[in-house]
Protein backbone atom coordinates (compact mmCIF):
# COMPACT_ATOMS: atom_id res chain seq x y z
CA UNK A 1 0.00 0.00 0.00
CA UNK A 2 1.61 3.23 -1.16
CA UNK A 3 1.38 6.60 0.64
CA UNK A 4 -0.62 7.94 -2.30
CA UNK A 5 -3.21 5.17 -1.93
CA UNK A 6 -3.48 5.85 1.80
CA UNK A 7 -4.00 9.55 1.17
CA UNK A 8 -6.65 8.78 -1.44
CA UNK A 9 -8.59 6.55 0.96
CA UNK A 10 -8.29 8.92 3.90
CA UNK A 11 -9.45 11.91 1.85
CA UNK A 12 -12.80 10.19 1.23
CA UNK A 13 -12.74 7.89 4.22
CA UNK A 14 -16.44 7.94 5.13
CA UNK A 15 -17.37 7.00 1.56
CA UNK A 16 -14.65 4.38 1.07
CA UNK A 17 -14.80 2.60 4.48
CA UNK A 18 -17.47 0.97 6.62
CA UNK A 19 -17.74 0.94 10.39
CA UNK A 20 -18.03 -2.73 11.38
CA UNK A 21 -17.72 -2.86 15.19
CA UNK A 22 -16.78 -1.18 18.44
CA UNK A 23 -14.27 -2.46 20.97
CA UNK A 24 -14.30 -2.59 24.74
CA UNK A 25 -11.45 -0.05 24.91
CA UNK A 26 -13.61 2.52 23.07
CA UNK A 27 -12.12 2.08 19.61
CA UNK A 28 -14.30 2.16 16.51
CA UNK A 29 -13.31 -0.45 13.93
CA UNK A 30 -13.54 0.70 10.29
CA UNK A 31 -12.74 -1.54 7.34
CA UNK A 32 -11.66 -0.68 3.79
CA UNK A 33 -9.90 -2.31 0.85
CA UNK A 34 -7.03 -1.34 -1.46
CA UNK A 35 -6.06 -3.53 -4.42
CA UNK A 36 -8.16 -6.45 -3.12
CA UNK A 37 -6.40 -6.34 0.24
CA UNK A 38 -8.37 -5.42 3.36
CA UNK A 39 -7.34 -3.10 6.17
CA UNK A 40 -8.77 -1.95 9.47
CA UNK A 41 -8.62 1.49 10.99
CA UNK A 42 -8.96 1.59 14.78
CA UNK A 43 -10.25 5.01 15.73
CA UNK A 44 -10.39 6.71 19.12
CA UNK A 45 -12.23 10.01 19.16
CA UNK A 46 -10.47 12.80 21.12
CA UNK A 47 -7.89 10.30 22.32
CA UNK A 48 -4.90 12.64 22.24
CA UNK A 49 -6.07 15.15 24.84
CA UNK A 50 -3.52 16.44 27.40
CA UNK A 51 -5.30 14.52 30.20
CA UNK A 52 -5.20 11.21 28.34
CA UNK A 53 -1.55 11.77 27.43
CA UNK A 54 -0.79 12.33 31.12
CA UNK A 55 -2.71 9.20 32.19
CA UNK A 56 -1.04 6.85 29.75
CA UNK A 57 -0.69 8.22 26.27
CA UNK A 58 -2.89 7.94 23.22
CA UNK A 59 -4.12 4.38 22.71
CA UNK A 60 -3.66 4.53 18.95
CA UNK A 61 0.00 5.44 19.39
CA UNK A 62 0.40 2.67 21.97
CA UNK A 63 -1.11 0.04 19.67
CA UNK A 64 1.12 1.21 16.80
CA UNK A 65 4.29 1.21 18.93
CA UNK A 66 3.60 -2.17 20.51
CA UNK A 67 2.82 -3.86 17.19
CA UNK A 68 5.99 -2.36 15.70
CA UNK A 69 8.01 -3.70 18.63
CA UNK A 70 6.57 -7.19 18.14
CA UNK A 71 7.44 -7.07 14.45
CA UNK A 72 11.03 -6.03 15.20
CA UNK A 73 11.38 -8.88 17.71
CA UNK A 74 10.02 -11.40 15.20
CA UNK A 75 7.01 -12.27 17.33
CA UNK A 76 4.05 -13.10 15.04
CA UNK A 77 1.38 -10.42 15.42
CA UNK A 78 -1.14 -8.36 13.51
CA UNK A 79 0.71 -6.30 10.90
CA UNK A 80 0.57 -2.55 11.50
CA UNK A 81 0.66 0.05 8.70
CA UNK A 82 0.32 3.59 10.09
CA UNK A 83 -0.43 5.78 13.08
CA UNK A 84 -2.59 8.83 12.39
CA UNK A 85 -2.71 11.73 14.87
CA UNK A 86 -5.53 14.23 14.67
CA UNK A 87 -7.40 12.17 12.07
CA UNK A 88 -10.92 13.39 11.27
CA UNK A 89 -14.00 11.33 10.46
CA UNK A 90 -16.60 13.90 9.50
CA UNK A 91 -16.61 16.57 12.19
CA UNK A 92 -14.92 14.33 14.74
CA UNK A 93 -11.24 14.45 15.53
CA UNK A 94 -9.18 11.70 17.09
CA UNK A 95 -6.29 9.29 16.67
CA UNK A 96 -6.17 6.14 14.58
CA UNK A 97 -4.05 3.11 13.85
CA UNK A 98 -4.20 1.18 10.55
CA UNK A 99 -3.56 -2.58 10.55
CA UNK A 100 -3.86 -5.36 7.98
CA UNK A 101 -7.15 -7.23 8.24
CA UNK A 102 -7.02 -10.96 7.58
CA UNK A 103 -10.50 -12.49 7.23
CA UNK A 104 -9.15 -16.03 7.59
CA UNK A 105 -7.67 -15.36 11.04
CA UNK A 106 -9.70 -16.92 13.87
CA UNK A 107 -9.83 -16.00 17.53
CA UNK A 108 -8.00 -18.63 19.57
CA UNK A 109 -10.94 -19.01 21.96
CA UNK A 110 -13.24 -19.92 19.04
CA UNK A 111 -10.75 -22.51 17.79
CA UNK A 112 -10.34 -24.13 21.21
CA UNK A 113 -14.12 -24.23 21.67
CA UNK A 114 -14.35 -26.65 18.74
CA UNK A 115 -14.52 -29.98 20.50
CA UNK A 116 -14.01 -31.90 17.24
CA UNK A 117 -10.50 -30.40 16.92
CA UNK A 118 -8.06 -33.37 16.80
CA UNK A 119 -5.93 -33.94 19.91
CA UNK A 120 -2.57 -33.45 18.13
CA UNK A 121 -3.79 -30.14 16.70
CA UNK A 122 -4.88 -28.93 20.14
CA UNK A 123 -1.46 -29.94 21.55
CA UNK A 124 0.23 -28.01 18.74
CA UNK A 125 -1.84 -24.90 19.58
CA UNK A 126 -0.95 -25.14 23.27
CA UNK A 127 2.73 -25.59 22.37
CA UNK A 128 2.59 -22.48 20.16
CA UNK A 129 0.91 -20.53 22.94
CA UNK A 130 3.72 -21.44 25.35
CA UNK A 131 6.32 -20.43 22.75
CA UNK A 132 4.67 -17.05 22.22
CA UNK A 133 4.36 -16.44 25.95
CA UNK A 134 8.01 -17.38 26.43
CA UNK A 135 9.12 -14.85 23.80
CA UNK A 136 6.86 -12.18 25.30
CA UNK A 137 8.23 -13.02 28.76
CA UNK A 138 11.82 -12.62 27.57
CA UNK A 139 10.98 -9.25 25.99
CA UNK A 140 8.99 -8.20 29.08
CA UNK A 141 5.94 -7.74 26.87
CA UNK A 142 3.49 -10.07 28.59
CA UNK A 143 -0.13 -9.03 27.82
CA UNK A 144 -1.78 -7.38 30.81
CA UNK A 145 -4.31 -8.77 31.47
CA UNK A 146 -3.35 -12.13 29.99
CA UNK A 147 -6.51 -13.55 28.46
CA UNK A 148 -7.23 -15.90 25.59
CA UNK A 149 -8.77 -13.13 23.47
CA UNK A 150 -5.33 -11.54 23.04
CA UNK A 151 -4.39 -14.28 20.53
CA UNK A 152 -5.62 -15.49 17.13
CA UNK A 153 -4.80 -18.24 14.66
CA UNK A 154 -3.59 -17.15 11.20
CA UNK A 155 -3.53 -20.33 9.15
CA UNK A 156 -1.45 -22.64 11.35
CA UNK A 157 0.40 -19.79 13.06
CA UNK A 158 -0.58 -18.35 16.44
CA UNK A 159 -0.30 -14.55 16.55
CA UNK A 160 -0.74 -11.74 19.04
CA UNK A 161 -3.98 -10.16 17.81
CA UNK A 162 -4.54 -7.47 20.45
CA UNK A 163 -1.78 -4.94 21.13
CA UNK A 164 -4.03 -2.01 22.01
CA UNK A 165 -4.07 -3.00 25.66
CA UNK A 166 -0.78 -2.95 27.61
CA UNK A 167 2.07 -5.33 26.80
CA UNK A 168 4.32 -4.96 29.82
CA UNK A 169 6.08 -7.16 32.36
CA UNK A 170 6.75 -10.87 32.58
CA UNK A 171 4.64 -14.01 32.89
CA UNK A 172 3.85 -14.24 36.60
CA UNK A 173 1.58 -16.58 38.52
CA UNK A 174 -1.05 -13.82 38.56
CA UNK A 175 -0.92 -13.55 34.76
CA UNK A 176 -1.24 -17.34 34.52
CA UNK A 177 -4.30 -17.25 36.78
CA UNK A 178 -5.86 -14.67 34.44
CA UNK A 179 -5.23 -17.00 31.49
CA UNK A 180 -6.65 -19.92 33.46
CA UNK A 181 -9.85 -18.04 34.31
CA UNK A 182 -10.47 -16.95 30.71
CA UNK A 183 -10.02 -20.48 29.28
CA UNK A 184 -11.65 -22.81 31.82
CA UNK A 185 -14.72 -23.47 29.70
CA UNK A 186 -12.83 -24.24 26.46
CA UNK A 187 -9.70 -26.08 27.64
CA UNK A 188 -8.95 -29.26 29.51
CA UNK A 189 -7.40 -29.31 32.97
CA UNK A 190 -4.29 -31.07 31.62
CA UNK A 191 -3.74 -28.34 29.04
CA UNK A 192 -3.94 -25.57 31.63
CA UNK A 193 -1.65 -27.51 33.96
CA UNK A 194 0.90 -27.92 31.16
CA UNK A 195 1.09 -24.15 30.62
CA UNK A 196 1.27 -23.49 34.37
CA UNK A 197 4.17 -25.90 34.97
CA UNK A 198 6.07 -24.54 31.98
CA UNK A 199 6.40 -21.11 33.60
CA UNK A 200 6.42 -21.63 37.35
CA UNK A 201 7.34 -24.16 39.98
CA UNK A 202 4.57 -22.95 42.27
CA UNK A 203 1.79 -25.45 43.03
CA UNK A 204 -1.03 -25.11 40.49
CA UNK A 205 -4.06 -23.22 41.77
CA UNK A 206 -6.81 -25.31 43.30
CA UNK A 207 -10.40 -24.40 42.75
CA UNK A 208 -11.72 -22.25 45.57
CA UNK A 209 -14.62 -19.90 46.16
CA UNK A 210 -12.27 -16.92 45.93
CA UNK A 211 -11.31 -17.70 42.30
CA UNK A 212 -14.26 -15.76 40.92
CA UNK A 213 -14.26 -12.86 43.40
CA UNK A 214 -12.70 -10.34 41.00
CA UNK A 215 -15.18 -11.23 38.25
CA UNK A 216 -18.14 -11.00 40.64
CA UNK A 217 -16.96 -7.64 41.98
CA UNK A 218 -16.74 -6.25 38.44
CA UNK A 219 -20.17 -7.67 37.58
CA UNK A 220 -21.75 -6.21 40.73
CA UNK A 221 -20.15 -2.77 40.34
CA UNK A 222 -20.53 -2.50 36.59
CA UNK A 223 -16.84 -1.99 35.75
CA UNK A 224 -14.35 -3.64 33.41
CA UNK A 225 -16.25 -5.96 31.08
CA UNK A 226 -19.52 -4.80 32.66
CA UNK A 227 -21.37 -1.50 32.76
CA UNK A 228 -24.02 0.41 34.67
CA UNK A 229 -27.28 1.09 32.91
CA UNK A 230 -30.05 3.63 33.58
CA UNK A 231 -33.01 3.88 31.21
CA UNK A 232 -35.86 6.10 32.36
CA UNK A 233 -36.88 4.62 35.74
CA UNK A 234 -34.89 1.42 35.21
CA UNK A 235 -31.39 0.87 36.66
CA UNK A 236 -29.13 -2.15 36.59
CA UNK A 237 -26.01 -3.74 35.09
CA UNK A 238 -25.12 -5.18 31.70
CA UNK A 239 -22.32 -7.03 29.92
CA UNK A 240 -20.20 -4.77 27.74
CA UNK A 241 -18.26 -7.75 26.38
CA UNK A 242 -18.20 -11.40 27.47
CA UNK A 243 -15.08 -11.63 29.69
CA UNK A 244 -14.29 -15.30 28.99
CA UNK A 245 -14.56 -17.93 26.28
CA UNK A 246 -18.04 -19.52 26.42
CA UNK A 247 -18.44 -22.26 23.78
CA UNK A 248 -22.28 -22.31 23.79
CA UNK A 249 -22.45 -18.53 23.22
CA UNK A 250 -22.81 -16.96 19.77
CA UNK A 251 -21.89 -13.45 20.95
CA UNK A 252 -18.17 -13.81 20.25
CA UNK A 253 -16.41 -10.45 20.67
CA UNK A 254 -19.62 -8.38 20.40
CA UNK A 255 -19.53 -5.15 22.42
CA UNK A 256 -22.69 -3.65 23.92
CA UNK A 257 -23.38 -0.18 25.23
CA UNK A 258 -26.27 1.53 27.00
CA UNK A 259 -27.64 2.81 23.68
CA UNK A 260 -28.00 -0.76 22.39
CA UNK A 261 -30.13 -1.84 25.36
CA UNK A 262 -32.08 1.42 25.32
CA UNK A 263 -33.13 0.59 21.75
CA UNK A 264 -33.74 -3.07 22.62
CA UNK A 265 -35.71 -2.55 25.84
CA UNK A 266 -39.14 -2.04 24.15
CA UNK A 267 -38.67 -5.36 22.32
CA UNK A 268 -37.51 -7.13 25.48
CA UNK A 269 -40.53 -5.84 27.41
CA UNK A 270 -43.08 -6.51 24.66
CA UNK A 271 -45.60 -9.32 25.19
CA UNK A 272 -45.84 -12.20 22.71
CA UNK A 273 -47.85 -15.17 23.92
CA UNK A 274 -46.35 -17.46 21.26
CA UNK A 275 -42.91 -17.24 22.92
CA UNK A 276 -43.93 -17.48 26.58
CA UNK A 277 -42.54 -20.60 28.29
CA UNK A 278 -43.99 -19.93 31.72
CA UNK A 279 -46.50 -17.51 33.18
CA UNK A 280 -47.60 -18.19 36.74
CA UNK A 281 -47.57 -16.47 40.14
CA UNK A 282 -43.75 -16.87 40.29
CA UNK A 283 -43.25 -14.75 37.17
CA UNK A 284 -42.97 -14.80 33.38
CA UNK A 285 -40.30 -16.50 31.24
CA UNK A 286 -40.27 -15.81 27.51
CA UNK A 287 -37.98 -15.78 24.47
CA UNK A 288 -36.92 -12.74 22.44
CA UNK A 289 -34.75 -12.41 19.34
CA UNK A 290 -32.22 -9.59 18.93
CA UNK A 291 -29.95 -8.70 16.03
CA UNK A 292 -26.31 -8.61 17.19
CA UNK A 293 -23.42 -8.10 14.74
CA UNK A 294 -25.54 -9.28 11.83
CA UNK A 295 -26.76 -12.46 13.55
CA UNK A 296 -30.02 -13.28 15.32
CA UNK A 297 -29.40 -14.03 19.00
CA UNK A 298 -32.18 -15.58 21.05
CA UNK A 299 -32.61 -14.38 24.62
CA UNK A 300 -34.43 -15.85 27.58
CA UNK A 301 -36.12 -12.98 29.44
CA UNK A 302 -37.32 -13.53 33.01
CA UNK A 303 -39.58 -11.20 34.97
CA UNK A 304 -39.81 -12.62 38.51
CA UNK A 305 -42.96 -11.78 40.47
CA UNK A 306 -43.30 -11.23 44.20
CA UNK A 307 -45.03 -13.55 46.63
CA UNK A 308 -48.23 -12.30 48.23
CA UNK A 309 -48.39 -11.00 51.74
CA UNK A 310 -45.60 -10.05 54.14
CA UNK A 311 -42.99 -12.26 52.47
CA UNK A 312 -43.51 -10.54 49.14
CA UNK A 313 -43.31 -7.12 50.78
CA UNK A 314 -39.97 -8.06 52.36
CA UNK A 315 -38.73 -9.17 48.92
CA UNK A 316 -39.55 -5.75 47.50
CA UNK A 317 -37.28 -4.00 50.02
CA UNK A 318 -34.25 -6.30 49.85
CA UNK A 319 -31.70 -6.67 47.03
CA UNK A 320 -33.55 -7.54 43.83
CA UNK A 321 -33.77 -11.22 43.00
CA UNK A 322 -32.42 -10.54 39.50
CA UNK A 323 -29.33 -8.86 40.99
CA UNK A 324 -28.70 -11.89 43.21
CA UNK A 325 -29.10 -14.30 40.27
CA UNK A 326 -26.73 -12.08 38.23
CA UNK A 327 -23.98 -12.39 40.84
CA UNK A 328 -24.54 -16.11 41.44
CA UNK A 329 -24.37 -16.94 37.74
CA UNK A 330 -21.20 -14.95 37.15
CA UNK A 331 -19.62 -16.55 40.21
CA UNK A 332 -20.34 -20.02 38.87
CA UNK A 333 -19.05 -19.08 35.41
CA UNK A 334 -15.92 -17.66 36.99
CA UNK A 335 -15.38 -20.95 38.82
CA UNK A 336 -15.55 -22.85 35.53
CA UNK A 337 -19.08 -24.25 35.73
CA UNK A 338 -21.06 -24.55 32.51
CA UNK A 339 -23.91 -22.04 32.93
CA UNK A 340 -26.17 -19.86 30.83
CA UNK A 341 -24.75 -16.42 30.02
CA UNK A 342 -26.48 -13.42 31.70
CA UNK A 343 -26.56 -10.25 29.60
CA UNK A 344 -28.30 -7.63 31.76
CA UNK A 345 -30.60 -7.07 34.71
CA UNK A 346 -32.84 -4.11 35.46
CA UNK A 347 -35.04 -3.07 38.35
CA UNK A 348 -37.56 -0.28 38.77
CA UNK A 349 -38.17 1.12 42.25
CA UNK A 350 -40.62 3.59 43.71
CA UNK A 351 -39.77 5.12 47.06
CA UNK A 352 -37.03 2.52 47.56
CA UNK A 353 -39.46 -0.35 46.95
CA UNK A 354 -39.04 -2.65 43.93
CA UNK A 355 -41.94 -2.33 41.52
CA UNK A 356 -40.64 -4.46 38.65
CA UNK A 357 -37.52 -6.46 37.77
CA UNK A 358 -36.17 -8.15 34.66
CA UNK A 359 -33.13 -10.22 33.68
CA UNK A 360 -32.02 -11.57 30.29
CA UNK A 361 -29.76 -14.50 29.34
CA UNK A 362 -28.49 -15.74 26.02
CA UNK A 363 -30.48 -18.87 25.27
CA UNK A 364 -28.53 -22.13 25.37
CA UNK A 365 -29.50 -24.36 22.45
CA UNK A 366 -30.82 -27.79 23.33
CA UNK A 367 -33.51 -29.49 25.38
CA UNK A 368 -33.79 -29.48 29.15
CA UNK A 369 -32.81 -32.65 30.97
CA UNK A 370 -36.54 -33.13 31.61
CA UNK A 371 -37.20 -33.44 27.85
CA UNK A 372 -33.92 -34.67 26.39
CA UNK A 373 -34.15 -37.84 24.29
CA UNK A 374 -32.03 -40.24 26.31
CA UNK A 375 -32.53 -43.03 23.76
CA UNK A 376 -31.32 -40.85 20.88
CA UNK A 377 -27.55 -40.31 21.17
CA UNK A 378 -26.63 -43.90 22.05
CA UNK A 379 -25.63 -45.61 25.27
CA UNK A 380 -22.12 -44.15 25.57
CA UNK A 381 -23.26 -40.54 25.11
CA UNK A 382 -26.22 -41.14 27.41
CA UNK A 383 -24.01 -42.44 30.23
CA UNK A 384 -21.50 -39.63 29.71
CA UNK A 385 -24.23 -36.98 29.96
CA UNK A 386 -25.74 -38.37 33.16
CA UNK A 387 -22.32 -39.01 34.68
CA UNK A 388 -21.38 -35.38 33.93
CA UNK A 389 -24.51 -34.13 35.73
CA UNK A 390 -23.56 -36.01 38.89
CA UNK A 391 -19.99 -34.74 38.60
CA UNK A 392 -21.17 -31.11 38.37
CA UNK A 393 -23.23 -31.47 41.55
CA UNK A 394 -20.25 -32.91 43.43
CA UNK A 395 -17.99 -30.10 42.19
CA UNK A 396 -20.51 -27.55 43.46
CA UNK A 397 -20.37 -29.17 46.89
CA UNK A 398 -16.57 -29.24 46.75
CA UNK A 399 -16.75 -25.42 46.58
CA UNK A 400 -18.88 -25.54 49.75
CA UNK A 401 -22.00 -24.45 47.86
CA UNK A 402 -25.36 -26.19 47.60
CA UNK A 403 -27.63 -26.34 44.57
CA UNK A 404 -30.99 -26.46 46.32
CA UNK A 405 -33.01 -26.41 43.08
CA UNK A 406 -31.15 -28.89 40.86
CA UNK A 407 -34.32 -30.24 39.22
CA UNK A 408 -34.03 -31.53 35.66
CA UNK A 409 -35.77 -28.47 34.16
CA UNK A 410 -32.80 -26.35 35.33
CA UNK A 411 -30.30 -28.13 33.05
CA UNK A 412 -29.84 -27.90 29.28
CA UNK A 413 -28.31 -30.76 27.30
CA UNK A 414 -26.16 -28.67 24.93
CA UNK A 415 -24.71 -30.49 21.93
CA UNK A 416 -21.10 -29.47 21.34
CA UNK A 417 -19.45 -29.39 17.89
CA UNK A 418 -18.24 -32.98 18.32
CA UNK A 419 -21.85 -34.17 18.64
CA UNK A 420 -21.80 -34.97 22.36
CA UNK A 421 -24.34 -33.60 24.81
CA UNK A 422 -22.96 -31.59 27.73
CA UNK A 423 -24.97 -30.36 30.75
CA UNK A 424 -25.31 -26.58 31.11
CA UNK A 425 -26.89 -25.10 34.24
CA UNK A 426 -29.69 -22.56 33.97
CA UNK A 427 -31.71 -20.65 36.59
CA UNK A 428 -29.12 -20.54 39.37
CA UNK A 429 -31.29 -18.79 41.92
CA UNK A 430 -31.17 -22.08 43.85
CA UNK A 431 -27.43 -21.80 44.60
CA UNK A 432 -26.85 -21.42 48.34
CA UNK A 433 -23.60 -20.31 49.92
CA UNK A 434 -23.46 -23.01 52.56
CA UNK A 435 -22.68 -26.74 52.36
CA UNK A 436 -25.56 -29.18 52.50
CA UNK A 437 -24.10 -32.43 51.30
CA UNK A 438 -26.35 -34.55 49.12
CA UNK A 439 -29.22 -32.07 48.71
CA UNK A 440 -28.47 -31.30 45.04
CA UNK A 441 -28.03 -34.91 43.90
CA UNK A 442 -31.15 -35.98 45.80
CA UNK A 443 -33.21 -33.26 44.10
CA UNK A 444 -31.82 -34.08 40.65
CA UNK A 445 -32.31 -37.85 40.92
CA UNK A 446 -35.86 -37.38 42.21
CA UNK A 447 -36.68 -35.17 39.23
CA UNK A 448 -34.98 -37.45 36.68
CA UNK A 449 -36.98 -40.44 37.90
CA UNK A 450 -40.04 -38.77 36.36
CA UNK A 451 -38.39 -38.90 32.90
CA UNK A 452 -40.16 -41.42 30.66
CA UNK A 453 -36.87 -42.98 29.43
CA UNK A 454 -34.95 -43.17 32.72
CA UNK A 455 -33.63 -46.56 33.85
CA UNK A 456 -31.90 -47.87 36.95
CA UNK A 457 -28.63 -47.90 34.99
CA UNK A 458 -29.11 -44.17 34.28
CA UNK A 459 -29.61 -43.42 37.97
CA UNK A 460 -26.47 -45.39 38.79
CA UNK A 461 -24.54 -43.34 36.18
CA UNK A 462 -25.65 -40.10 37.90
CA UNK A 463 -24.66 -41.40 41.32
CA UNK A 464 -21.38 -42.78 39.96
CA UNK A 465 -20.48 -39.32 38.61
CA UNK A 466 -21.34 -37.78 41.97
CA UNK A 467 -19.30 -40.28 44.01
CA UNK A 468 -16.19 -40.36 41.82
CA UNK A 469 -15.70 -36.63 41.18
Amino acid sequence: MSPQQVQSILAEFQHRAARVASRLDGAEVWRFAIDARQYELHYWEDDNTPLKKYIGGARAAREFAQLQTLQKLGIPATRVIANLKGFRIGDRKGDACIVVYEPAAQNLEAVLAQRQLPGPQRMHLIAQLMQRLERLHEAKLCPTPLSIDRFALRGDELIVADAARPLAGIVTSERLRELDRSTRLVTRAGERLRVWRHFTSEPPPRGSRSDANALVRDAARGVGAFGRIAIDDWVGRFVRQVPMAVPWSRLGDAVFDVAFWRDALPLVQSSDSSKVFKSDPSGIVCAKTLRVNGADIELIVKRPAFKPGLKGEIQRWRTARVARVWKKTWRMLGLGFACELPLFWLERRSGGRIVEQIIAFERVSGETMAKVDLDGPGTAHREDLLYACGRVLRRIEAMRFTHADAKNTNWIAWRDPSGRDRPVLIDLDGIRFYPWRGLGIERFVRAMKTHAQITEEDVRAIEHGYRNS
Side-chain angles (χ1 to χ4, degrees):
M1 181 169 61
S2 67
Q4 292 76 18
Q5 289 175 313
V6 175
Q7 289 177 2
S8 173
I9 287 288
L10 297 182
E12 303 176 335
F13 187 76
Q14 283 186 289
H15 305 291
R16 302 281 297 275
R19 181 176 174 176
V20 294
S22 297
R23 295 198 319 203
L24 190 60
D25 61 0
E28 300 173 9
V29 180
W30 294 73
R31 199 167 291 159
F32 60 94
I34 298 177
D35 295 336
R37 191 163 193 180
Q38 297 189 61
Y39 300 88
E40 280 187 348
L41 182 137
H42 303 158
Y43 181 74
W44 288 267
E45 186 178 357
D46 293 329
D47 189 49
N48 210 12
T49 62
L51 177 60
K52 291 189 176 181
K53 284 182 178 179
Y54 177 76
I55 292 173
R59 284 165 290 186
R62 180 173 65 191
E63 180 176 23
F64 178 78
Q66 292 184 154
L67 284 173
Q68 269 201 328
T69 301
L70 293 175
Q71 289 177 0
K72 291 175 182 177
L73 293 173
I75 299 174
T78 301
R79 289 189 282 273
V80 65
I81 302 298
N83 176 35
L84 307 174
K85 296 182 180 179
F87 180 65
R88 289 186 178 274
I89 298 181
D91 296 330
R92 300 181 300 148
K93 183 180 179 181
D95 283 9
C97 179
I98 300 178
V99 300
V100 176
Y101 171 64
E102 299 177 79
Q106 292 180 279
N107 291 333
L108 181 58
E109 59 186 274
V111 176
L112 291 175
Q114 299 172 11
R115 289 272 167 166
Q116 77 271 29
L117 203 64
Q121 194 170 345
R122 287 184 68 95
M123 291 179 63
H124 180 62
L125 282 177
I126 300 300
Q128 281 198 75
L129 178 61
M130 291 190 295
Q131 292 171 1
R132 301 294 179 263
L133 289 177
E134 198 165 334
R135 291 292 310 277
L136 293 168
H137 173 81
E138 292 170 355
K140 296 184 179 180
L141 291 173
C142 177
T144 307
L146 178 55
S147 54
I148 195 69
D149 62 344
R150 306 294 294 266
F151 300 91
L153 195 64
R154 184 172 62 199
D156 293 329
E157 184 181 46
L158 190 68
I159 65 171
V160 180
D162 175 11
R165 289 178 287 175
L167 297 176
I170 60 175
V171 178
T172 63
S173 58
E174 180 56 34
R175 299 285 83 78
L176 292 174
R177 287 190 180 93
E178 292 170 350
L179 182 63
D180 185 274
R181 285 193 290 267
S182 72
T183 60
R184 283 185 184 177
L185 296 174
V186 295
T187 55
R188 304 181 177 101
E191 293 169 341
R192 298 193 299 274
L193 183 61
R194 185 181 171 195
V195 175
W196 178 274
R197 287 181 171 169
H198 184 81
F199 288 99
T200 179
S201 59
E202 294 182 20
R206 293 184 177 181
S208 69
R209 293 171 61 149
S210 63
D211 283 352
N213 283 352
L215 181 66
V216 174
R217 281 195 299 269
D218 287 354
R221 296 173 183 172
V223 298
F226 306 91
R228 296 171 177 264
I229 186 170
I231 304 174
D232 299 329
D233 296 334
W234 295 89
V235 295
R237 305 287 184 270
F238 71 99
V239 174
R240 296 176 61 204
Q241 188 176 40
V242 181
M244 61 182 61
V246 181
W248 44 91
S249 171
R250 297 178 58 209
L251 294 177
D253 57 357
V255 176
F256 302 96
D257 56 17
V258 174
F260 177 87
W261 292 116
R262 182 182 292 111
D263 295 340
L265 189 58
L267 173 63
V268 171
Q269 291 180 308
S270 63
S271 58
D272 183 353
S273 58
S274 65
K275 294 186 176 182
V276 174
F277 299 127
K278 185 179 81 168
S279 181
D280 57 29
S282 67
I284 300 173
V285 179
C286 60
K288 302 292 180 181
T289 302
L290 289 182
R291 194 77 176 168
V292 179
N293 283 0
D296 288 333
I297 303 295
E298 196 164 7
L299 307 185
I300 296 296
V301 179
K302 301 180 182 182
R303 306 180 75 167
F306 299 95
K307 293 185 177 180
L310 179 61
K311 191 168 185 179
E313 193 61 29
I314 293 173
Q315 289 176 336
R316 291 178 183 274
W317 287 95
R318 64 179 300 196
T319 302
R321 179 182 175 184
V322 292
R324 300 196 305 270
V325 172
W326 171 264
K327 290 175 64 175
K328 288 177 180 179
T329 308
W330 280 113
R331 183 176 297 280
M332 300 304 281
L333 282 166
L335 292 171
F337 289 94
C339 308
E340 61 184 341
L341 189 65
L343 298 181
F344 74 88
W345 69 265
L346 290 168
E347 66 174 9
R348 188 164 60 86
R349 291 181 180 258
S350 177
R353 181 174 174 270
I354 301 175
V355 177
E356 199 173 356
Q357 55 185 336
I358 186 170
I359 188 168
F361 302 84
E362 183 183 0
R363 186 175 186 179
V364 182
S365 62
E367 295 286 356
T368 65
M369 289 298 295
K371 296 181 179 180
V372 67
D373 182 9
L374 292 176
D375 293 333
T379 305
H381 289 192
R382 174 181 188 152
E383 290 180 359
D384 289 346
L385 174 63
L386 295 169
Y387 180 95
C389 292
R391 186 172 183 270
V392 168
L393 292 170
R394 186 53 179 264
R395 286 180 57 216
I396 291 174
E397 289 186 3
M399 295 288 179
R400 300 184 63 79
F401 296 144
T402 297
H403 195 346
D405 195 23
K407 57 190 177 185
N408 53 3
T409 54
N410 285 341
W411 303 69
I412 295 289
W414 171 72
R415 183 153 295 181
D416 68 18
S418 68
R420 288 182 173 270
D421 289 331
R422 297 177 59 198
V424 178
L425 291 165
I426 61 174
D427 193 3
L428 291 175
D429 189 40
I431 294 293
R432 300 290 181 262
F433 298 104
Y434 52 77
W436 191 334
R437 189 171 294 276
L439 179 63
I441 186 70
E442 179 184 342
R443 181 71 182 91
F444 181 65
V445 170
R446 187 168 71 248
M448 284 303 296
K449 284 183 176 180
T450 65
H451 196 291
Q453 298 171 334
I454 201 73
T455 65
E456 288 299 321
E457 288 78 9
D458 294 331
V459 174
R460 281 195 289 270
I462 298 169
E463 294 173 344
H464 184 57
Y466 177 76
R467 287 195 307 269
N468 293 320
S469 299

